[in-house]
């Protein structure tokens, strides 16, 4: 007998598929946690899933934080991610609102041009962006990364937010204007709060992307003091040359991964609510 139109076999297969996918996602994280508390002798002498010997080598984390400058990389990543989030949210929300609420000649074409940018591979843009930002004198700076991240996040953000703004009743704007609200007041005091679920979803998705971005940061940043965590992790592995220190390397990986993972876990429900609300609207 089917439940909610889904056969028991389909439910079983879906559950098995989700369980398999969960194992594939959790496996690297658990493996990294175990390896981060080992020294090279334990790594080479034992099996991959052997538990680390006591006492746990918490010193791997402090060693990575200090010797490989992960403290600086961590601060740099927070600066770039926070700045990019704020700017991306301002650009995406204002542009989405205008395209959703104001009909003008070419608005649909402009919207689809923005959305079509999602189809362009990142690798195709690295070289042109490098020369463009060098000509603008914003390469090798946090400003350049923040501008690039913010602009690159607009297509996906607009794809999610335009639907939110289109679904809001026009009577709200008309009533606010009659009460004396300016266009800016209507947007910031009425429309923007109503689109909060979509804004939260876009912000969290962008935060995940900005925090983990590697290619642009690698090409545009040449000063070692301005590296972000993904680039710093790659530099760390390169500096080890012929003798890889697995414990500190996995410790650095966890330092890069755990903060954004915690953020995702905390706001996971908000992400789902925002996506569902946008789909319903």
């Amino acid at each position: 007998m089917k439940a909610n139109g889904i056969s028991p076999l389909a439910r079983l297969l879906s559950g098995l598929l989700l369980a398999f996918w969960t194992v594939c996602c959790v496996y690297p994280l658990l493996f990294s946690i175990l390896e981060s508390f080992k020294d090279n002798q334990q790594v080479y002498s034992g099996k991959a899933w052997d538990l680390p010997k006591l006492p746990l080598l918490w010193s791997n984390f402090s060693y990575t934080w200090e010797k490989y400058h992960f403290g600086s990389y961590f601060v740099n990543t927070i600066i770039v991610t926070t700045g990019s989030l704020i700017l991306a949210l301002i650009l995406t929300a204002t542009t989405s609102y205008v395209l959703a609420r104001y009909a003008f000649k070419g608005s649909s074409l402009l919207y689809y041009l923005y959305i079509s940018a999602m189809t362009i591979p990142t690798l195709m843009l690295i070289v042109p962006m490098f020369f463009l930002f060098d000509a603008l004198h914003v390469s090798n700076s946090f400003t350049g990364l923040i501008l690039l991240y913010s602009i690159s996040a607009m297509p996906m953000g607009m794809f999610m937010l335009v639907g939110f703004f289109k679904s809001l009743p026009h009577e709200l704007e008309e009533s606010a204007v009659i009460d004396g609200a300016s266009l800016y007041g209507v947007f910031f005091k009425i429309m923007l709060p109503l689109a909060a679920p979509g804004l939260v979803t876009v912000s969290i998705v962008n935060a995940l992307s900005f925090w983990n971005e590697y290619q642009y940061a690698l090409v545009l940043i040449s000063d070692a003091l301005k590296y972000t965590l993904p680039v710093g992790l790659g530099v760390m592995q390169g500096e080890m040359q012929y003798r890889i220190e697995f414990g500190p390397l996995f410790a650095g990986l966890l330092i890069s991964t755990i903060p954004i993972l915690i953020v995702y876990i905390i706001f996971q429900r908000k992400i789902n609510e925002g996506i569902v609300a946008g789909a319903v609207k």
Side-chain angles (χ1 to χ4, degrees):
M1 183 172 180
K2 295 183 179 181
N4 299 325
I6 303 175
S7 66
L9 179 60
R11 293 172 64 89
L12 177 61
L13 292 177
S14 300
L16 291 175
L17 181 60
L18 289 174
F20 174 74
W21 182 249
T22 301
V23 171
C24 291
C25 293
V26 173
Y27 173 86
L29 180 61
L30 293 179
F31 183 80
S32 300
I33 292 174
L34 290 178
E35 298 301 298
S36 66
F37 293 108
K38 298 179 181 179
D39 56 21
N40 276 9
Q41 183 179 359
Q42 296 180 51
V43 172
Y44 287 119
S45 62
K47 296 180 181 179
W49 281 96
D50 284 349
L51 295 177
K53 297 179 180 179
L54 298 176
L56 298 178
L57 292 180
W58 292 98
S59 58
N60 284 338
F61 291 88
S62 59
Y63 176 78
T64 302
W65 188 269
E66 295 174 4
K67 179 177 179 180
Y68 292 102
H69 313 294
F70 264 62
S72 299
Y73 302 156
F74 192 86
V75 173
N76 296 343
T77 306
I78 290 178
I79 293 173
V80 172
T81 301
T82 304
S84 301
L85 277 177
I86 295 173
L87 183 57
L89 195 59
I90 294 173
L91 295 176
T92 304
T94 52
T95 307
S96 299
Y97 175 71
V98 170
L99 292 179
R101 309 296 289 189
Y102 294 95
F104 56 89
K105 188 175 182 180
S107 59
S108 297
L109 176 61
L110 185 60
Y111 170 72
Y112 287 114
L113 284 176
Y114 272 108
I115 300 304
S116 65
M118 291 190 295
T119 64
I120 303 175
T122 302
L123 289 174
M124 291 182 60
L125 301 176
I126 288 181
V127 175
M129 286 296 178
F130 174 80
F131 287 106
L132 174 62
F133 278 60
D134 184 61
L136 295 174
H137 304 289
V138 291
S139 61
N140 194 32
S141 68
F142 294 150
T143 302
L145 279 184
I146 290 173
L147 287 173
L148 183 56
Y149 289 174
S150 304
I151 295 170
S152 63
M154 286 185 66
M156 177 60 73
M158 291 177 59
F159 180 74
M160 300 178 68
L161 288 181
V162 166
F164 273 88
F165 286 120
K166 280 186 176 181
S167 67
L168 300 177
H170 288 276
E171 288 78 10
L172 294 174
E173 293 169 295
E174 294 171 357
S175 299
V177 172
I178 292 174
D179 290 338
S182 65
L183 294 179
Y184 294 101
V186 171
F187 175 68
F188 286 105
K189 295 181 180 180
I190 298 176
M191 310 306 288
L192 205 59
L194 291 175
L199 297 175
V200 172
T201 302
V202 169
S203 297
I204 297 172
V205 172
N206 285 342
L208 296 172
S209 176
F210 299 156
W211 186 276
N212 296 313
E213 203 285 321
Y214 174 77
Q215 295 171 331
Y216 285 137
L218 177 65
V219 173
L220 293 179
I221 300 297
S222 57
D223 187 351
L225 296 177
K226 298 179 181 178
Y227 286 158
T228 57
L229 280 172
V231 178
L233 192 62
V235 171
M236 175 184 178
Q237 185 177 6
E239 289 180 355
M240 291 179 178
Q241 296 182 351
Y242 303 107
R243 184 179 182 276
I244 298 179
E245 300 175 275
F246 286 99
L249 184 61
F250 280 103
L253 181 62
L254 289 178
I255 292 173
S256 304
T257 305
I258 294 299
I260 199 64
L261 182 62
I262 293 174
V263 171
Y264 179 79
I265 292 173
I266 294 174
F267 293 101
Q268 180 183 11
R269 180 171 295 180
K270 293 292 184 181
I271 297 176
N272 295 334
E273 290 176 356
I275 293 175
V276 171
V280 171
K281 291 179 179 180

